[in-house]
Amino acid sequence: MRICVYGAGAMGTSLGALLSLVCECDLVSRNRAHVSALKANGATLEKNGTVYLQTSVKAFLPEEMKGEYDCIVLAVKQRENSRVAEFLMPYCKADGCLLTVQNGLPEEALAELFGKERVYGAALSWGAELAESGIIKITSDAGFRVGLGACGKGARLQELAELLREAGCTVAVDKLIEIRFAKLATNASFSTLSVISGLPFGVLAKKYKRHCVRLIRETFAVARACGCEKLPLNGHDLFKSLLFCNGLLLPAAMKKYRNTRSGMLKDLEASRRCDVDFTAGAVIRKGKQCGVPVPYLERAVALVHDVENGLAESAPETLEFMDETGV
């Protein structure tokens, strides 16, 4: 199988490095320095201060892409999806597929371009940061876990699952909507609060549990309204485990992600707009469609935009403004 990982940032490069061990895999990025480093030195994954994996990879700029792929893994920011999807269509074989590893709920819009039967979605349950060009720092200790689902009937679902397993990932195949909301429970709460506060997930779970619980509860309410019967993540049903005794287990649940900070912080540090409108914002839009009020999520997204626009600082003190909703 010939694969392209389009959007080889931290998460895309870490996944692409694993896939390169078992198949022909091209890593594509607009980051020229990163592509040059990958071409010269390969991809290096670091974990806990040591090299976890160092392997040669094929890396290209978008304008260097050639031929067609059996599967294109989409790992860019979602605000670019429409333009990028149209660009990628000629590079996807007629019987090829698109696998989005983006957070949020991206499949519906992508299916309008590629067709429902060609679109698959995956939730990647690890943390990663671009330490420097060609070098990725893995910031979680949960291993490389993937939740995989199909937008349509999923003719290639098992093929994709087996490939990911060969690459060293632990793969669970479930209903796509449930996979998505399981990841959104973390994205809409911990990732959003991490942007507002600048703090890693472990600190948020211990010291700011109240905020986490409120955001998770609202996400759960929307998930149930969307027909989710379970929220499978890393072998657990989050409906049953995450809010046990009003969040008592949150510090334990986030222990393996204690050093992880939201990838959206990197965007802000690079003066780029982040994807909060496509993560927590996606839950808000679904809530409105289903008639489920989500005032705390709306306040959290508004604060992220305040940080983006220089109206608030990414600092623990900014979390105090979360209570201005009165909820």
Side-chain angles (χ1 to χ4, degrees):
M1 182 181 287
R2 185 170 188 246
I3 291 183
C4 168
V5 177
Y6 192 89
M11 294 299 290
T13 300
S14 57
L15 178 60
L18 295 173
L19 288 170
S20 293
L21 298 174
V22 296
C23 69
E24 182 181 355
C25 181
D26 293 348
L27 279 65
V28 181
S29 172
R30 293 181 302 186
N31 184 332
R32 291 181 177 274
H34 185 49
V35 169
S36 294
L38 290 173
K39 287 180 176 180
N41 306 311
T44 300
L45 308 187
E46 295 182 345
K47 186 176 179 181
N48 298 325
T50 61
V51 174
Y52 174 85
L53 173 67
Q54 204 287 325
T55 183
S56 60
V57 296
K58 296 179 180 180
F60 303 94
L61 297 168
E63 58 266 30
E64 296 175 323
M65 292 174 64
K66 295 180 180 179
E68 295 180 328
Y69 296 92
D70 298 289
C71 177
I72 296 177
V73 179
L74 188 60
V76 297
K77 301 298 181 184
Q78 280 195 63
R79 64 182 65 254
E80 304 177 38
N81 271 16
S82 179
R83 177 186 62 80
V84 169
E86 290 185 4
F87 168 77
L88 290 175
M89 286 186 72
Y91 295 99
C92 190
K93 291 181 179 179
D95 61 345
C97 63
L98 183 75
L99 172 62
T100 170
V101 297
Q102 299 163 311
N103 293 322
L105 302 167
E107 288 84 11
E108 185 174 332
L110 292 170
E112 292 180 4
L113 290 170
F114 276 80
K116 188 175 181 180
E117 299 304 326
R118 300 178 72 191
V119 175
Y120 296 78
L124 308 183
S125 297
W126 66 85
E129 295 180 359
L130 183 63
E132 58 183 273
S133 295
I135 301 176
I136 306 300
K137 178 183 177 182
I138 304 301
T139 61
S140 59
D141 296 319
F144 298 99
R145 292 178 175 267
V146 180
L148 183 65
C151 189
K153 295 179 181 178
R156 306 192 74 164
L157 191 59
Q158 294 305 321
E159 181 183 8
L160 291 171
E162 185 56 34
L163 180 67
L164 289 164
R165 291 188 181 108
E166 289 178 7
C169 298
T170 301
V171 182
V173 177
D174 284 292
K175 291 181 180 179
L176 186 56
I177 189 65
E178 293 179 341
I179 291 170
R180 283 301 181 200
F181 268 100
K183 187 69 183 295
L184 277 169
T186 300
N187 294 144
S189 55
F190 286 95
S191 293
T192 304
L193 293 175
S194 181
V195 175
I196 296 169
S197 66
L199 297 171
F201 292 4
V203 176
L204 290 168
K206 288 183 179 179
K207 295 186 177 181
Y208 300 93
K209 189 185 307 178
R210 176 171 60 90
H211 297 306
C212 299
V213 167
R214 285 186 172 184
L215 293 174
I216 292 169
R217 287 192 187 282
E218 289 189 352
T219 303
F220 279 9
V222 176
R224 289 191 174 97
C226 289
C228 294
E229 297 178 357
K230 62 178 181 177
L231 295 185
L233 187 69
N234 297 350
H236 301 283
D237 179 1
L238 300 190
F239 275 152
K240 296 179 179 179
S241 62
L242 204 53
L243 295 183
F244 178 77
C245 291
N246 201 32
L248 181 64
L249 294 182
L250 278 185
M254 301 310 296
K255 184 177 180 181
K256 293 181 179 180
Y257 303 92
R258 61 189 179 277
N259 297 320
T260 298
R261 298 193 311 158
S262 174
M264 294 187 288
L265 279 170
K266 288 288 186 180
D267 293 327
L268 298 185
E269 290 167 358
S271 299
R272 297 189 299 261
R273 298 193 70 81
C274 69
D275 262 5
V276 70
D277 290 330
F278 300 95
T279 52
V283 182
I284 292 171
R285 288 190 294 277
K286 280 294 184 182
K288 289 181 179 179
Q289 292 175 12
C290 299
V292 178
V294 287
Y296 219 64
L297 279 164
E298 290 174 345
R299 181 57 182 155
V301 171
L303 279 174
V304 170
H305 288 314
D306 284 347
V307 172
E308 278 186 323
N309 296 323
L311 301 176
E313 183 181 0
S314 182
E317 293 75 20
T318 306
L319 290 173
E320 297 174 8
F321 295 102
M322 285 290 296
D323 291 321
E324 289 191 359
T325 59
V327 298

